[in-house]
């Protein structure tokens, strides 16, 4: 291999355009949501005390109120990174995770569509649509795991053995961020599609895939119970989502044309219809 073969090419630029923009934008962004410091403080308390927090020790108005810390693993990661390299390291690692997520998404779209320009367009739309909520928070892990889950499910159509991976992803996800039900919903969509195909075609291969997906989905649900709170984590996620909607937190509000996320969503619908046809 010559040195020239290792030099950047136009293809490199096209592949790295979206993740590079995301990394530079986020790594240089010094604006943080106030609740990030809460996550950092919880991580410190968990590490120093050697146990999970089960009550509020930081908010004077609700001091002692019991809660379930579904983000405990993310908080430990943030705290350990902060201890090693301060806030700058946390910011860079978070930016790198977002960049990896977008690179993975572009690669997935390129494989499915067969067109790099289409994949780049989707990557840019996703980045711009998420810009309002991209910051240092546990949800960064959810974005990465969602794309990972999508990729695994898409590949499993050709490699059925990959359906052993979703339960592993869900077991990790349930300890990183409370949005883990999104992974189950994604897996459930594949399961419903496989069930419809098996019922319509009646072929042995379609039926076999439906059985595989059924086992994967059931195991994934059980895997989410591998957390400190067991079944109660679902009740907590439901209560938290209702509270978040009532308080007007961006991620939980209905999408509309007055937000970048809403514009990206509605712009993608005709594209999806076109691809389906």
């Amino acid at each position: 291999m010559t040195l020239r073969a290792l030099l950047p090419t136009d293809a490199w630029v096209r592949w790295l355009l979206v993740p590079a923009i995301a990394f530079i934008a986020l790594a240089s962004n010094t604006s943080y949501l106030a609740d990030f410091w809460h996550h950092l403080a919880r991580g410190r308390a968990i590490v120093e005390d050697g146990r999970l927090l089960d009550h509020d020790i930081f908010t004077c108005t609700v001091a002692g109120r019991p809660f379930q810390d579904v983000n405990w693993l993310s908080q430990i990661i943030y705290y350990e990174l902060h201890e090693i390299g301060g806030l700058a390291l946390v910011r860079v690692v978070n930016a790198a995770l977002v960049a990896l997520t977008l690179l993975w998404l572009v690669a997935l779209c390129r494989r499915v569509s067969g067109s790099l320009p289409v994949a780049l367009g989707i990557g840019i739309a996703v980045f711009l649509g998420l810009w309002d909520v991209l910051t240092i928070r546990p949800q960064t892990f959810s974005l990465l795991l969602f794309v990972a889950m999508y990729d695994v499910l898409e590949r499993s159509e050709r490699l059925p053995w990959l359906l052993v991976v979703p339960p592993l992803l869900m077991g990790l996800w349930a300890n990183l961020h409370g949005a883990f039900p999104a992974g189950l919903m994604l897996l459930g969509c594949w399961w419903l599609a496989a069930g419809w195909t098996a019922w319509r075609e009646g072929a042995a291969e379609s039926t076999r895939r439906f059985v595989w997906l059924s086992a994967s989905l059931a195991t994934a649900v059980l895997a989410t119970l591998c957390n400190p709170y067991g079944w109660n984590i679902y009740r907590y996620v439901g209560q938290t989502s209702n509270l978040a909607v009532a308080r007007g937190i961006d991620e939980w509000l209905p999408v509309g044309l007055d937000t970048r996320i809403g514009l990206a969503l509605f712009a993608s619908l005709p594209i999806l219809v076109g691809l389906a046809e």
Side-chain angles (χ1 to χ4, degrees):
M1 179 180 295
T2 64
L3 179 61
R4 183 180 181 83
L6 299 176
L7 295 177
T9 63
D10 291 346
W12 282 41
V13 174
R14 290 192 291 270
W15 275 104
L16 297 177
L17 177 63
V18 177
I21 292 174
F23 179 81
I24 294 171
L26 294 177
S28 60
N29 182 17
T30 56
S31 300
Y32 308 105
L33 293 178
D35 66 352
F36 166 69
W37 301 103
H38 199 182
H39 290 302
L40 199 59
R42 287 188 186 180
R44 179 186 62 191
I46 294 171
V47 172
E48 292 181 350
D49 295 345
R51 60 185 179 87
L52 298 181
L53 282 177
D54 58 3
H55 63 284
D56 199 314
I57 63 174
F58 300 110
T59 311
C60 62
T61 54
V62 290
R65 171 185 258 176
F67 68 86
Q68 294 177 0
D69 192 358
V70 297
N71 306 309
W72 68 273
L73 186 54
S74 298
Q75 292 160 356
I76 291 177
I77 294 173
Y78 286 142
Y79 172 71
E80 295 292 357
L81 288 173
H82 190 272
E83 285 294 286
I84 295 171
L87 188 56
L89 179 60
V90 178
R91 185 171 65 243
V92 169
V93 170
N94 184 78
L97 288 176
V98 174
L100 174 61
T101 300
L102 291 171
L103 177 60
W104 200 336
L105 177 64
V106 169
L108 171 59
C109 293
R110 169 65 178 82
R111 188 176 71 243
V112 174
S113 69
S115 171
L116 184 55
V118 169
L120 288 175
I122 294 173
I124 292 173
V126 169
F127 172 65
L128 294 178
L130 291 176
W131 176 251
D132 289 335
V133 296
L134 288 179
T135 185
I136 305 175
R137 295 180 68 181
Q139 67 189 30
T140 298
F141 296 100
S142 279
L143 296 175
L144 177 61
L145 289 170
F146 187 88
V147 174
M149 179 72 79
Y150 201 111
D151 190 25
V152 167
L153 290 171
E154 196 280 327
R155 289 177 184 271
S156 72
E157 295 182 2
R158 299 174 298 279
L159 303 170
W161 65 267
L162 284 176
L163 289 175
V164 303
V165 177
L168 301 177
L169 294 178
M170 293 309 308
L172 175 63
W173 199 340
N175 292 281
L176 285 169
H177 188 230
F180 68 89
L184 293 178
M185 288 188 283
L186 182 61
L187 182 53
C189 288
W190 247 268
W191 176 76
L192 288 173
W196 169 255
T197 301
W199 177 79
R200 186 183 59 184
E201 297 180 353
E205 183 177 351
S206 299
T207 302
R208 185 163 51 250
R209 175 160 175 78
F210 177 65
V211 171
W212 269 86
L213 277 165
S214 298
S216 183
L217 177 58
T219 308
V221 172
L222 293 176
T224 62
L225 303 183
C226 297
N227 70 83
Y229 311 106
W231 279 108
N232 288 324
I233 195 173
Y234 285 94
R235 182 174 62 183
Y236 176 80
V237 169
Q239 293 172 346
T240 302
S241 60
N242 291 334
L243 183 61
V245 172
R247 290 180 176 177
I249 296 177
D250 289 343
E251 304 95 285
W252 298 94
L253 293 177
V255 294
L257 294 176
D258 57 336
T259 63
R260 277 190 285 264
I261 294 177
L263 289 172
L265 173 63
F266 290 113
S268 70
L269 295 180
I271 298 175
L272 290 174
V273 172
L275 291 174
E277 293 177 353

